[in-house]
Amino acid sequence: MIVSNRLPVDRVIDDDGNTTWRPSPGGLVAALEPMMKAEDGVWVGWPGVAGEEMEPFEIGGIDLIPVELSEQEVQEYYEGFSNDTLWPLYHDVIAPPSYHREWWEAYVVVNKRFADAAAKAAAPGAVVWVHDYQLQLVPKLLREARPDLVIGFFNHIPFPPYGIYSQLPWRRQIVEGLLGADVLGFQRLADAGNFSRAARRLKGYDTRGSIIEVPIETDDPEAGSHRHVTTNRRGALVRTVLARQFPISIDAQMYQEMASRPEIQERARQIRHDLGDPQTIMLGVDRLDYTKGIGHRLKAYGELLAERRIDPADVVLVQVASPSRERVETYRQLRDEIELTVGRINGDYSSISHTAINYLHHGYPREEMVALYLAADVMLVTALRDGMNLVAKEYVASRVDNDGVLLLSEFAGASDELRQAILINPHDIEGLKEAMLQAAIMPKAERSRRMRALRKRVLTYDVARWSKSFLDALVNTAHGDHRDEKPAGYRTRER
Ligand code: G6P
């Protein structure tokens, strides 16, 4: 069973005004689909529309159990607590988090609803995998309701250092909620370390490497049914929880296959042509989010133009910024700032024949994205903080020609794995400008050497491998085996 805030479906309204649903093309679904079908999988989540009461339905062989959210809950639990409290807090307070008691109350109520739906539908002894920051209370609630279940949780976004996390008025409840799981997965070693520290500091729990020892009350009638009950060094009865990194990935094979199709390669040539066949196309692809460092990227680009170190006749920047969380104030402000900056740069440096920045506030089908990746000489990933950044991996998987340069922020989880990218600190504008120029003039042999190494990594450690390693760890816990196998070739020291 998968439990996530969003169900993997998109609503489509046909010409007659009827509502139908189609599978949303996310990587997570692609990775889990074969296993979900083979194992009679069930997916519990919100269909993404407020106040919509829906019966369970099936799509593409997977049973979906919709969880309803009222308009007020969308505002308080989703836009409020999830995206205006936890999101900025967990991304190093790049934007100030808002703390509202009503939002927290809605978060508790909605997490309980998800846990109830999961508890009701799960088969005896089922393996339940809960996803992301919107549902951090679910593991504990689920364990209380159904001690027979094997419970995993994966956090797709960073987990912040204790000095930041400790701002949260409900910091203790969230740690307790997460520790209801048997296995807690994070993107980076540093995230898992931050969580373990929070468990030590707030709860006084002992940790040994990736294992956290959660004491069990000896008069707990359920004590015997808990998994991994052992006696620790102090003679206390404890349940052990594994907390470590499982860096997520993409369906790399699918991107590779798409990028090999003649019509997509033709589309890539067409894009280059439509942009005036410039020497260098730089590309940014992001949800329009303040964590992505779009402003820093534009600042660096604008300065290079102002200093005449790049010429708009030779270099074009394409920025795809897909609309996101548009009712949250910080996102509205960000959109205004970005569009003001793009307008200024284009006003100052574009001509009738050359547009300095092609700014596209849309989402695009995957085929078009792959064509864009193939057309782009330089991919700019300048996130100020990012759990992983899958765009970086998509770019690499699409470059079947072993060409193209990836500029990658050290603050994105992907930088732990993609060491042959040009790694940058997006706060260092001079460094970023130098890296952009270096990327634009990098000799073909070096581009190819770096891209081959990046591709090897991304094609080997794909999303199927990620979900298998998480589920293996989870299933091992059901057999009382906390084998702690770290992913190979991965950074083992914290920065
Ligand atoms: C991030 C989060 C996901 C979330 C996605 C889109 O990747 O980790 O949980 O679904 O952003 O955001 P949205 O608010 O539209 O679901």
PDB file of all heavy atoms in Angstrom, residues 24-59:
ATOM      1  N   SER A  24      -1.440  10.121 -13.776  1.00  0.00           N
ATOM      2  CA  SER A  24      -0.468  11.205 -13.946  1.00  0.00           C
ATOM      3  C   SER A  24       0.896  10.553 -14.162  1.00  0.00           C
ATOM      4  O   SER A  24       1.203   9.517 -13.589  1.00  0.00           O
ATOM      5  CB  SER A  24      -0.464  12.129 -12.740  1.00  0.00           C
ATOM      6  OG  SER A  24      -0.019  11.436 -11.615  1.00  0.00           O
ATOM      7  N   PRO A  25       1.703  11.164 -15.018  1.00  0.00           N
ATOM      8  CA  PRO A  25       2.880  10.454 -15.511  1.00  0.00           C
ATOM      9  C   PRO A  25       4.103  10.522 -14.587  1.00  0.00           C
ATOM     10  O   PRO A  25       5.213  10.425 -15.050  1.00  0.00           O
ATOM     11  CB  PRO A  25       3.151  11.193 -16.834  1.00  0.00           C
ATOM     12  CG  PRO A  25       2.597  12.571 -16.625  1.00  0.00           C
ATOM     13  CD  PRO A  25       1.516  12.478 -15.610  1.00  0.00           C
ATOM     14  N   GLY A  26       3.896  10.657 -13.275  1.00  0.00           N
ATOM     15  CA  GLY A  26       5.051  10.802 -12.367  1.00  0.00           C
ATOM     16  C   GLY A  26       5.952   9.575 -12.352  1.00  0.00           C
ATOM     17  O   GLY A  26       5.532   8.461 -12.653  1.00  0.00           O
ATOM     18  N   GLY A  27       7.202   9.817 -11.981  1.00  0.00           N
ATOM     19  CA  GLY A  27       8.208   8.753 -11.935  1.00  0.00           C
ATOM     20  C   GLY A  27       7.896   7.718 -10.872  1.00  0.00           C
ATOM     21  O   GLY A  27       8.175   6.528 -11.038  1.00  0.00           O
ATOM     22  N   LEU A  28       7.297   8.190  -9.774  1.00  0.00           N
ATOM     23  CA  LEU A  28       6.991   7.285  -8.668  1.00  0.00           C
ATOM     24  C   LEU A  28       6.015   6.202  -9.125  1.00  0.00           C
ATOM     25  O   LEU A  28       6.183   5.024  -8.819  1.00  0.00           O
ATOM     26  CB  LEU A  28       6.373   8.108  -7.531  1.00  0.00           C
ATOM     27  CG  LEU A  28       6.268   7.455  -6.156  1.00  0.00           C
ATOM     28  CD1 LEU A  28       7.622   6.994  -5.679  1.00  0.00           C
ATOM     29  CD2 LEU A  28       5.647   8.419  -5.165  1.00  0.00           C
ATOM     30  N   VAL A  29       5.006   6.623  -9.890  1.00  0.00           N
ATOM     31  CA  VAL A  29       4.016   5.656 -10.386  1.00  0.00           C
ATOM     32  C   VAL A  29       4.698   4.662 -11.310  1.00  0.00           C
ATOM     33  O   VAL A  29       4.490   3.447 -11.194  1.00  0.00           O
ATOM     34  CB  VAL A  29       2.897   6.348 -11.206  1.00  0.00           C
ATOM     35  CG1 VAL A  29       1.687   5.455 -11.306  1.00  0.00           C
ATOM     36  CG2 VAL A  29       2.558   7.703 -10.649  1.00  0.00           C
ATOM     37  N   ALA A  30       5.501   5.194 -12.223  1.00  0.00           N
ATOM     38  CA  ALA A  30       6.186   4.318 -13.179  1.00  0.00           C
ATOM     39  C   ALA A  30       7.003   3.268 -12.428  1.00  0.00           C
ATOM     40  O   ALA A  30       7.003   2.088 -12.785  1.00  0.00           O
ATOM     41  CB  ALA A  30       7.085   5.148 -14.090  1.00  0.00           C
ATOM     42  N   ALA A  31       7.674   3.699 -11.370  1.00  0.00           N
ATOM     43  CA  ALA A  31       8.545   2.782 -10.628  1.00  0.00           C
ATOM     44  C   ALA A  31       7.751   1.732  -9.877  1.00  0.00           C
ATOM     45  O   ALA A  31       8.161   0.584  -9.778  1.00  0.00           O
ATOM     46  CB  ALA A  31       9.388   3.571  -9.633  1.00  0.00           C
ATOM     47  N   LEU A  32       6.615   2.131  -9.363  1.00  0.00           N
ATOM     48  CA  LEU A  32       5.890   1.229  -8.472  1.00  0.00           C
ATOM     49  C   LEU A  32       4.827   0.406  -9.192  1.00  0.00           C
ATOM     50  O   LEU A  32       4.346  -0.584  -8.649  1.00  0.00           O
ATOM     51  CB  LEU A  32       5.257   2.028  -7.332  1.00  0.00           C
ATOM     52  CG  LEU A  32       6.256   2.789  -6.449  1.00  0.00           C
ATOM     53  CD1 LEU A  32       5.529   3.677  -5.475  1.00  0.00           C
ATOM     54  CD2 LEU A  32       7.155   1.819  -5.692  1.00  0.00           C
ATOM     55  N   GLU A  33       4.497   0.830 -10.412  1.00  0.00           N
ATOM     56  CA  GLU A  33       3.382   0.206 -11.112  1.00  0.00           C
ATOM     57  C   GLU A  33       3.499  -1.324 -11.246  1.00  0.00           C
ATOM     58  O   GLU A  33       2.570  -2.039 -10.842  1.00  0.00           O
ATOM     59  CB  GLU A  33       3.212   0.844 -12.489  1.00  0.00           C
ATOM     60  CG  GLU A  33       1.870   0.541 -13.100  1.00  0.00           C
ATOM     61  CD  GLU A  33       1.726   1.197 -14.456  1.00  0.00           C
ATOM     62  OE1 GLU A  33       2.346   0.700 -15.409  1.00  0.00           O
ATOM     63  OE2 GLU A  33       1.011   2.190 -14.539  1.00  0.00           O
ATOM     64  N   PRO A  34       4.639  -1.854 -11.726  1.00  0.00           N
ATOM     65  CA  PRO A  34       4.706  -3.316 -11.895  1.00  0.00           C
ATOM     66  C   PRO A  34       4.477  -4.047 -10.573  1.00  0.00           C
ATOM     67  O   PRO A  34       3.715  -5.008 -10.504  1.00  0.00           O
ATOM     68  CB  PRO A  34       6.140  -3.556 -12.401  1.00  0.00           C
ATOM     69  CG  PRO A  34       6.644  -2.226 -12.838  1.00  0.00           C
ATOM     70  CD  PRO A  34       5.865  -1.175 -12.141  1.00  0.00           C
ATOM     71  N   MET A  35       5.119  -3.528  -9.505  1.00  0.00           N
ATOM     72  CA  MET A  35       4.986  -4.183  -8.211  1.00  0.00           C
ATOM     73  C   MET A  35       3.566  -4.033  -7.653  1.00  0.00           C
ATOM     74  O   MET A  35       2.995  -4.976  -7.118  1.00  0.00           O
ATOM     75  CB  MET A  35       5.994  -3.558  -7.260  1.00  0.00           C
ATOM     76  CG  MET A  35       5.984  -4.202  -5.919  1.00  0.00           C
ATOM     77  SD  MET A  35       6.318  -3.026  -4.639  1.00  0.00           S
ATOM     78  CE  MET A  35       5.406  -1.601  -5.072  1.00  0.00           C
ATOM     79  N   MET A  36       2.978  -2.872  -7.863  1.00  0.00           N
ATOM     80  CA  MET A  36       1.622  -2.639  -7.369  1.00  0.00           C
ATOM     81  C   MET A  36       0.632  -3.590  -8.053  1.00  0.00           C
ATOM     82  O   MET A  36      -0.266  -4.112  -7.422  1.00  0.00           O
ATOM     83  CB  MET A  36       1.186  -1.193  -7.634  1.00  0.00           C
ATOM     84  CG  MET A  36       1.958  -0.156  -6.862  1.00  0.00           C
ATOM     85  SD  MET A  36       1.505  -0.122  -5.130  1.00  0.00           S
ATOM     86  CE  MET A  36       0.033   0.866  -5.155  1.00  0.00           C
ATOM     87  N   LYS A  37       0.840  -3.788  -9.344  1.00  0.00           N
ATOM     88  CA  LYS A  37      -0.054  -4.690 -10.083  1.00  0.00           C
ATOM     89  C   LYS A  37       0.143  -6.130  -9.608  1.00  0.00           C
ATOM     90  O   LYS A  37      -0.819  -6.845  -9.340  1.00  0.00           O
ATOM     91  CB  LYS A  37       0.214  -4.602 -11.585  1.00  0.00           C
ATOM     92  CG  LYS A  37      -0.414  -3.372 -12.200  1.00  0.00           C
ATOM     93  CD  LYS A  37      -0.193  -3.372 -13.707  1.00  0.00           C
ATOM     94  CE  LYS A  37      -0.841  -2.157 -14.324  1.00  0.00           C
ATOM     95  NZ  LYS A  37      -0.301  -1.846 -15.637  1.00  0.00           N
ATOM     96  N   ALA A  38       1.403  -6.538  -9.485  1.00  0.00           N
ATOM     97  CA  ALA A  38       1.703  -7.928  -9.114  1.00  0.00           C
ATOM     98  C   ALA A  38       1.231  -8.243  -7.690  1.00  0.00           C
ATOM     99  O   ALA A  38       0.841  -9.366  -7.396  1.00  0.00           O
ATOM    100  CB  ALA A  38       3.202  -8.183  -9.250  1.00  0.00           C
ATOM    101  N   GLU A  39       1.278  -7.256  -6.815  1.00  0.00           N
ATOM    102  CA  GLU A  39       1.002  -7.511  -5.397  1.00  0.00           C
ATOM    103  C   GLU A  39      -0.385  -7.041  -4.982  1.00  0.00           C
ATOM    104  O   GLU A  39      -0.638  -6.874  -3.791  1.00  0.00           O
ATOM    105  CB  GLU A  39       2.050  -6.791  -4.518  1.00  0.00           C
ATOM    106  CG  GLU A  39       3.483  -7.132  -4.827  1.00  0.00           C
ATOM    107  CD  GLU A  39       3.905  -8.435  -4.168  1.00  0.00           C
ATOM    108  OE1 GLU A  39       3.258  -8.836  -3.187  1.00  0.00           O
ATOM    109  OE2 GLU A  39       4.865  -9.036  -4.657  1.00  0.00           O
ATOM    110  N   ASP A  40      -1.248  -6.743  -5.944  1.00  0.00           N
ATOM    111  CA  ASP A  40      -2.590  -6.264  -5.580  1.00  0.00           C
ATOM    112  C   ASP A  40      -2.507  -4.946  -4.816  1.00  0.00           C
ATOM    113  O   ASP A  40      -3.169  -4.759  -3.794  1.00  0.00           O
ATOM    114  CB  ASP A  40      -3.273  -7.299  -4.665  1.00  0.00           C
ATOM    115  CG  ASP A  40      -4.395  -7.978  -5.399  1.00  0.00           C
ATOM    116  OD1 ASP A  40      -4.757  -7.483  -6.473  1.00  0.00           O
ATOM    117  OD2 ASP A  40      -4.896  -8.994  -4.884  1.00  0.00           O
ATOM    118  N   GLY A  41      -1.703  -4.066  -5.313  1.00  0.00           N
ATOM    119  CA  GLY A  41      -1.412  -2.826  -4.582  1.00  0.00           C
ATOM    120  C   GLY A  41      -2.597  -1.868  -4.496  1.00  0.00           C
ATOM    121  O   GLY A  41      -3.472  -1.856  -5.356  1.00  0.00           O
ATOM    122  N   VAL A  42      -2.593  -1.082  -3.438  1.00  0.00           N
ATOM    123  CA  VAL A  42      -3.621  -0.069  -3.207  1.00  0.00           C
ATOM    124  C   VAL A  42      -2.902   1.253  -2.978  1.00  0.00           C
ATOM    125  O   VAL A  42      -1.861   1.295  -2.341  1.00  0.00           O
ATOM    126  CB  VAL A  42      -4.432  -0.414  -1.924  1.00  0.00           C
ATOM    127  CG1 VAL A  42      -5.524   0.610  -1.694  1.00  0.00           C
ATOM    128  CG2 VAL A  42      -5.004  -1.806  -1.999  1.00  0.00           C
ATOM    129  N   TRP A  43      -3.476   2.333  -3.516  1.00  0.00           N
ATOM    130  CA  TRP A  43      -2.864   3.653  -3.332  1.00  0.00           C
ATOM    131  C   TRP A  43      -3.871   4.561  -2.637  1.00  0.00           C
ATOM    132  O   TRP A  43      -4.995   4.715  -3.126  1.00  0.00           O
ATOM    133  CB  TRP A  43      -2.475   4.229  -4.688  1.00  0.00           C
ATOM    134  CG  TRP A  43      -1.477   5.345  -4.638  1.00  0.00           C
ATOM    135  CD1 TRP A  43      -1.556   6.480  -3.874  1.00  0.00           C
ATOM    136  CD2 TRP A  43      -0.255   5.445  -5.380  1.00  0.00           C
ATOM    137  NE1 TRP A  43      -0.455   7.272  -4.079  1.00  0.00           N
ATOM    138  CE2 TRP A  43       0.360   6.656  -5.004  1.00  0.00           C
ATOM    139  CE3 TRP A  43       0.380   4.627  -6.320  1.00  0.00           C
ATOM    140  CZ2 TRP A  43       1.576   7.084  -5.549  1.00  0.00           C
ATOM    141  CZ3 TRP A  43       1.588   5.058  -6.859  1.00  0.00           C
ATOM    142  CH2 TRP A  43       2.175   6.259  -6.477  1.00  0.00           C
ATOM    143  N   VAL A  44      -3.499   5.137  -1.505  1.00  0.00           N
ATOM    144  CA  VAL A  44      -4.383   6.024  -0.757  1.00  0.00           C
ATOM    145  C   VAL A  44      -3.892   7.454  -0.938  1.00  0.00           C
ATOM    146  O   VAL A  44      -2.700   7.730  -0.741  1.00  0.00           O
ATOM    147  CB  VAL A  44      -4.352   5.665   0.758  1.00  0.00           C
ATOM    148  CG1 VAL A  44      -5.210   6.632   1.571  1.00  0.00           C
ATOM    149  CG2 VAL A  44      -4.808   4.230   0.983  1.00  0.00           C
ATOM    150  N   GLY A  45      -4.776   8.369  -1.341  1.00  0.00           N
ATOM    151  CA  GLY A  45      -4.323   9.753  -1.513  1.00  0.00           C
ATOM    152  C   GLY A  45      -5.459  10.695  -1.877  1.00  0.00           C
ATOM    153  O   GLY A  45      -6.602  10.275  -2.093  1.00  0.00           O
ATOM    154  N   TRP A  46      -5.120  11.965  -1.972  1.00  0.00           N
ATOM    155  CA  TRP A  46      -6.079  13.018  -2.311  1.00  0.00           C
ATOM    156  C   TRP A  46      -6.092  13.199  -3.833  1.00  0.00           C
ATOM    157  O   TRP A  46      -5.025  13.290  -4.440  1.00  0.00           O
ATOM    158  CB  TRP A  46      -5.631  14.313  -1.608  1.00  0.00           C
ATOM    159  CG  TRP A  46      -6.361  15.557  -1.986  1.00  0.00           C
ATOM    160  CD1 TRP A  46      -7.712  15.744  -2.010  1.00  0.00           C
ATOM    161  CD2 TRP A  46      -5.777  16.806  -2.371  1.00  0.00           C
ATOM    162  NE1 TRP A  46      -8.006  17.032  -2.383  1.00  0.00           N
ATOM    163  CE2 TRP A  46      -6.836  17.707  -2.609  1.00  0.00           C
ATOM    164  CE3 TRP A  46      -4.459  17.259  -2.536  1.00  0.00           C
ATOM    165  CZ2 TRP A  46      -6.619  19.032  -3.012  1.00  0.00           C
ATOM    166  CZ3 TRP A  46      -4.246  18.568  -2.924  1.00  0.00           C
ATOM    167  CH2 TRP A  46      -5.319  19.446  -3.159  1.00  0.00           C
ATOM    168  N   PRO A  47      -7.295  13.249  -4.443  1.00  0.00           N
ATOM    169  CA  PRO A  47      -7.315  13.383  -5.913  1.00  0.00           C
ATOM    170  C   PRO A  47      -6.944  14.778  -6.412  1.00  0.00           C
ATOM    171  O   PRO A  47      -6.903  14.995  -7.622  1.00  0.00           O
ATOM    172  CB  PRO A  47      -8.757  13.026  -6.297  1.00  0.00           C
ATOM    173  CG  PRO A  47      -9.534  12.904  -5.041  1.00  0.00           C
ATOM    174  CD  PRO A  47      -8.633  13.046  -3.865  1.00  0.00           C
ATOM    175  N   GLY A  48      -6.701  15.731  -5.513  1.00  0.00           N
ATOM    176  CA  GLY A  48      -6.212  17.048  -5.944  1.00  0.00           C
ATOM    177  C   GLY A  48      -7.293  18.082  -6.166  1.00  0.00           C
ATOM    178  O   GLY A  48      -6.999  19.188  -6.626  1.00  0.00           O
ATOM    179  N   VAL A  49      -8.547  17.726  -5.857  1.00  0.00           N
ATOM    180  CA  VAL A  49      -9.653  18.666  -6.037  1.00  0.00           C
ATOM    181  C   VAL A  49     -10.399  18.793  -4.712  1.00  0.00           C
ATOM    182  O   VAL A  49     -10.725  17.774  -4.102  1.00  0.00           O
ATOM    183  CB  VAL A  49     -10.638  18.164  -7.129  1.00  0.00           C
ATOM    184  CG1 VAL A  49     -11.663  19.238  -7.456  1.00  0.00           C
ATOM    185  CG2 VAL A  49      -9.893  17.721  -8.366  1.00  0.00           C
ATOM    186  N   ALA A  50     -10.679  20.029  -4.279  1.00  0.00           N
ATOM    187  CA  ALA A  50     -11.332  20.241  -2.979  1.00  0.00           C
ATOM    188  C   ALA A  50     -12.787  19.789  -3.012  1.00  0.00           C
ATOM    189  O   ALA A  50     -13.472  19.942  -4.022  1.00  0.00           O
ATOM    190  CB  ALA A  50     -11.255  21.704  -2.587  1.00  0.00           C
ATOM    191  N   GLY A  51     -13.241  19.247  -1.883  1.00  0.00           N
ATOM    192  CA  GLY A  51     -14.654  18.947  -1.684  1.00  0.00           C
ATOM    193  C   GLY A  51     -15.215  17.870  -2.593  1.00  0.00           C
ATOM    194  O   GLY A  51     -16.420  17.744  -2.744  1.00  0.00           O
ATOM    195  N   GLU A  52     -14.355  17.092  -3.202  1.00  0.00           N
ATOM    196  CA  GLU A  52     -14.816  16.059  -4.134  1.00  0.00           C
ATOM    197  C   GLU A  52     -14.961  14.736  -3.391  1.00  0.00           C
ATOM    198  O   GLU A  52     -13.983  14.159  -2.937  1.00  0.00           O
ATOM    199  CB  GLU A  52     -13.789  15.898  -5.262  1.00  0.00           C
ATOM    200  CG  GLU A  52     -14.218  14.999  -6.370  1.00  0.00           C
ATOM    201  CD  GLU A  52     -14.674  15.790  -7.598  1.00  0.00           C
ATOM    202  OE1 GLU A  52     -14.722  17.032  -7.527  1.00  0.00           O
ATOM    203  OE2 GLU A  52     -14.970  15.158  -8.595  1.00  0.00           O
ATOM    204  N   GLU A  53     -16.225  14.269  -3.258  1.00  0.00           N
ATOM    205  CA  GLU A  53     -16.434  12.984  -2.598  1.00  0.00           C
ATOM    206  C   GLU A  53     -16.368  11.902  -3.671  1.00  0.00           C
ATOM    207  O   GLU A  53     -17.091  11.977  -4.660  1.00  0.00           O
ATOM    208  CB  GLU A  53     -17.793  12.965  -1.910  1.00  0.00           C
ATOM    209  CG  GLU A  53     -17.830  11.976  -0.760  1.00  0.00           C
ATOM    210  CD  GLU A  53     -19.156  12.049  -0.018  1.00  0.00           C
ATOM    211  OE1 GLU A  53     -19.678  13.164   0.173  1.00  0.00           O
ATOM    212  OE2 GLU A  53     -19.662  10.977   0.325  1.00  0.00           O
ATOM    213  N   MET A  54     -15.491  10.927  -3.481  1.00  0.00           N
ATOM    214  CA  MET A  54     -15.317   9.919  -4.532  1.00  0.00           C
ATOM    215  C   MET A  54     -15.237   8.536  -3.951  1.00  0.00           C
ATOM    216  O   MET A  54     -14.665   8.340  -2.890  1.00  0.00           O
ATOM    217  CB  MET A  54     -14.010  10.195  -5.292  1.00  0.00           C
ATOM    218  CG  MET A  54     -14.091  11.334  -6.273  1.00  0.00           C
ATOM    219  SD  MET A  54     -12.458  11.801  -6.792  1.00  0.00           S
ATOM    220  CE  MET A  54     -11.932  10.335  -7.633  1.00  0.00           C
ATOM    221  N   GLU A  55     -15.785   7.578  -4.694  1.00  0.00           N
ATOM    222  CA  GLU A  55     -15.674   6.167  -4.314  1.00  0.00           C
ATOM    223  C   GLU A  55     -14.306   5.665  -4.793  1.00  0.00           C
ATOM    224  O   GLU A  55     -13.752   6.206  -5.741  1.00  0.00           O
ATOM    225  CB  GLU A  55     -16.777   5.361  -5.017  1.00  0.00           C
ATOM    226  CG  GLU A  55     -18.181   5.640  -4.502  1.00  0.00           C
ATOM    227  CD  GLU A  55     -18.296   5.408  -2.999  1.00  0.00           C
ATOM    228  OE1 GLU A  55     -17.852   4.333  -2.538  1.00  0.00           O
ATOM    229  OE2 GLU A  55     -18.812   6.294  -2.293  1.00  0.00           O
ATOM    230  N   PRO A  56     -13.795   4.594  -4.127  1.00  0.00           N
ATOM    231  CA  PRO A  56     -12.552   4.001  -4.628  1.00  0.00           C
ATOM    232  C   PRO A  56     -12.713   3.600  -6.099  1.00  0.00           C
ATOM    233  O   PRO A  56     -13.802   3.227  -6.520  1.00  0.00           O
ATOM    234  CB  PRO A  56     -12.375   2.755  -3.754  1.00  0.00           C
ATOM    235  CG  PRO A  56     -13.102   3.071  -2.494  1.00  0.00           C
ATOM    236  CD  PRO A  56     -14.262   3.947  -2.895  1.00  0.00           C
ATOM    237  N   PHE A  57     -11.674   3.767  -6.876  1.00  0.00           N
ATOM    238  CA  PHE A  57     -11.742   3.364  -8.276  1.00  0.00           C
ATOM    239  C   PHE A  57     -10.407   2.771  -8.698  1.00  0.00           C
ATOM    240  O   PHE A  57      -9.435   2.810  -7.951  1.00  0.00           O
ATOM    241  CB  PHE A  57     -12.179   4.522  -9.181  1.00  0.00           C
ATOM    242  CG  PHE A  57     -11.242   5.716  -9.199  1.00  0.00           C
ATOM    243  CD1 PHE A  57     -10.520   6.031 -10.351  1.00  0.00           C
ATOM    244  CD2 PHE A  57     -11.100   6.541  -8.098  1.00  0.00           C
ATOM    245  CE1 PHE A  57      -9.679   7.147 -10.390  1.00  0.00           C
ATOM    246  CE2 PHE A  57     -10.250   7.656  -8.123  1.00  0.00           C
ATOM    247  CZ  PHE A  57      -9.553   7.956  -9.272  1.00  0.00           C
ATOM    248  N   GLU A  58     -10.428   2.206  -9.914  1.00  0.00           N
ATOM    249  CA  GLU A  58      -9.225   1.532 -10.390  1.00  0.00           C
ATOM    250  C   GLU A  58      -8.723   2.237 -11.625  1.00  0.00           C
ATOM    251  O   GLU A  58      -9.520   2.667 -12.455  1.00  0.00           O
ATOM    252  CB  GLU A  58      -9.578   0.090 -10.728  1.00  0.00           C
ATOM    253  CG  GLU A  58      -8.370  -0.800 -10.858  1.00  0.00           C
ATOM    254  CD  GLU A  58      -8.611  -1.948 -11.824  1.00  0.00           C
ATOM    255  OE1 GLU A  58      -9.323  -2.878 -11.438  1.00  0.00           O
ATOM    256  OE2 GLU A  58      -8.091  -1.869 -12.956  1.00  0.00           O
ATOM    257  N   ILE A  59      -7.434   2.396 -11.707  1.00  0.00           N
ATOM    258  CA  ILE A  59      -6.893   3.001 -12.917  1.00  0.00           C
ATOM    259  C   ILE A  59      -5.573   2.308 -13.245  1.00  0.00           C
ATOM    260  O   ILE A  59      -4.733   2.134 -12.365  1.00  0.00           O
ATOM    261  CB  ILE A  59      -6.766   4.539 -12.745  1.00  0.00           C
ATOM    262  CG1 ILE A  59      -6.808   5.230 -14.088  1.00  0.00           C
ATOM    263  CG2 ILE A  59      -5.563   4.953 -11.972  1.00  0.00           C
ATOM    264  CD1 ILE A  59      -7.134   6.704 -13.984  1.00  0.00           C
TER     265      ILE A  59
END
